[in-house]
Amino acid sequence: MKIATYNVNGVNGRLPVLLKWLSEEKPDVVCLQELKAPQEKFPEAEMLEAGYHAVWVGQKSWNGVAILTKNGKATVVRTALPGDETDEQSRYLEVKVNDLTIVCVYVPNGNPTPGEKYDYKLKWLERLDAQAELLISAGKPVIITGDFNIIPTESDVYKPEKYKNDALFLPEVRTAFKNLIAQGWTDGLRHLYPEKTIYTFYDYFRKAYERNAGMRIDHFLISPDILPHLKNGGVDNEVRGWEKSSDHVPTWIELENI
């Protein structure tokens, strides 16, 4: 089973890119973030024509998450992160695909710092920590994936000194990621490639993609039940060079006997 995550940065505006990538790579499950589309504007018909069923939580102008599946429609478990009933931002989608629980997250960016956006990010991460603890404690196969907006270590960003005051790299945010790992989750790509330079995001400015000046902020957190089945993983960097592409690149893992 090939599972991918992709911050598409506008599902309708970048639909040709998404459809081309789906046609070429044919992942079994795709978690999308930053749909930038209200619920009724998600391109469900185009996804079906491409061979994918979809469940999604849209939001006008920004945010929004979706999960695409090739073999039948996923069963929706949750459409919002527990812990704050007043939170109206569409950033969390939890589904079941057969016996596998898949969680698609779009963690808040948090910039500028300090400020309300950063405070919201920290509170959101606290809620994610609590939900992740419940999921892993259940002892069932779970994957949490998506755009975490977290650079875990200095090796995960080009010129880390430039990001010392950035909400993606501040100590509290990196500690939140470490706390998730400490629950028993495995950072899938880093587990597969402990020393390799891996970037999943390239800014639109200063020819970041051409210079390979990126960062790794799209992650797979894998529960202990899944880890023995982890076969392969990677990033489709070439997609970033396509016309009108997202600033993120599709990131994926492959599981065997799942």
Side-chain angles (χ1 to χ4, degrees):
M1 176 185 285
K2 185 174 183 179
I3 303 172
T5 181
Y6 188 17
N7 180 319
V8 73
N9 192 13
V11 68
N12 288 304
R14 305 190 197 280
L15 188 58
V17 173
L18 175 59
L19 292 174
K20 179 183 177 182
W21 171 71
L22 289 173
S23 175
E24 291 186 2
E25 299 301 328
K26 298 177 173 59
D28 299 290
V29 179
V30 184
C31 294
L32 301 175
Q33 305 87 40
E34 205 170 351
L35 302 180
K36 293 182 177 178
Q39 190 74 8
E40 67 277 10
K41 295 295 185 179
F42 183 86
E44 183 179 19
E46 289 86 347
M47 294 298 103
L48 284 170
E49 187 174 349
Y52 288 88
H53 297 273
V55 293
W56 68 96
V57 186
Q59 188 165 8
K60 185 179 180 180
S61 300
W62 68 90
N63 303 332
V65 286
I67 297 179
L68 314 179
T69 48
K70 286 188 74 172
N71 299 313
K73 201 168 187 177
T75 302
V76 175
V77 179
R78 291 182 182 276
T79 59
L81 181 63
D84 184 357
E85 294 183 356
T86 67
D87 186 359
E88 297 180 349
Q89 297 194 26
S90 301
R91 296 183 174 275
Y92 184 96
L93 179 57
E94 181 181 330
V95 305
K96 292 287 290 291
V97 178
N98 299 322
D99 294 327
L100 176 63
T101 296
I102 298 178
V103 179
C104 176
V105 298
Y106 178 33
V107 177
N109 178 283
N111 283 306
T113 63
E116 292 182 3
K117 291 184 177 180
Y118 185 61
D119 294 341
Y120 171 69
K121 179 175 187 172
L122 293 180
K123 291 177 181 178
W124 203 94
L125 286 169
E126 288 179 2
R127 291 159 55 201
L128 179 62
D129 186 88
Q131 180 64 8
E133 178 68 32
L134 288 175
L135 289 168
I136 201 168
S137 297
K140 296 180 179 179
V142 185
I143 293 173
I144 303 176
T145 187
D147 178 0
F148 280 71
N149 271 315
I150 298 174
I151 305 167
T153 70
E154 290 188 356
S155 64
D156 293 307
V157 62
Y158 180 81
K159 292 189 176 180
E161 64 274 9
K162 294 176 59 177
Y163 294 89
K164 62 180 181 179
N165 296 318
D166 194 286
L168 280 65
F169 199 54
L170 284 173
E172 299 96 332
V173 172
R174 293 161 67 189
T175 296
F177 192 82
K178 291 178 182 177
N179 290 341
L180 286 169
I181 298 298
Q183 292 179 0
W185 301 94
T186 295
D187 179 348
L189 283 190
R190 192 49 74 201
H191 176 81
L192 288 167
Y193 310 108
E195 305 297 331
K196 185 177 181 179
T197 297
I198 303 171
Y199 297 144
T200 67
F201 171 92
Y202 298 91
D203 208 324
Y204 288 121
F205 304 104
R206 298 178 295 278
K207 294 186 176 181
Y209 171 66
E210 290 80 358
R211 296 186 296 113
N212 197 33
M215 61 180 70
R216 188 175 74 97
I217 57 176
D218 303 86
H219 308 300
F220 284 90
L221 297 187
I222 298 170
S223 71
D225 304 75
I226 295 293
L227 188 57
H229 301 277
L230 182 61
K231 176 184 178 182
N232 196 7
V235 294
D236 295 333
N237 282 86
E238 69 280 1
V239 176
R240 180 61 178 82
W242 295 356
E243 186 178 358
K244 296 183 179 180
S245 187
S246 171
D247 41 11
H248 292 251
V249 299
T251 305
W252 52 271
I253 59 171
E254 286 185 341
L255 306 175
E256 57 182 357
N257 301 322
I258 289 288

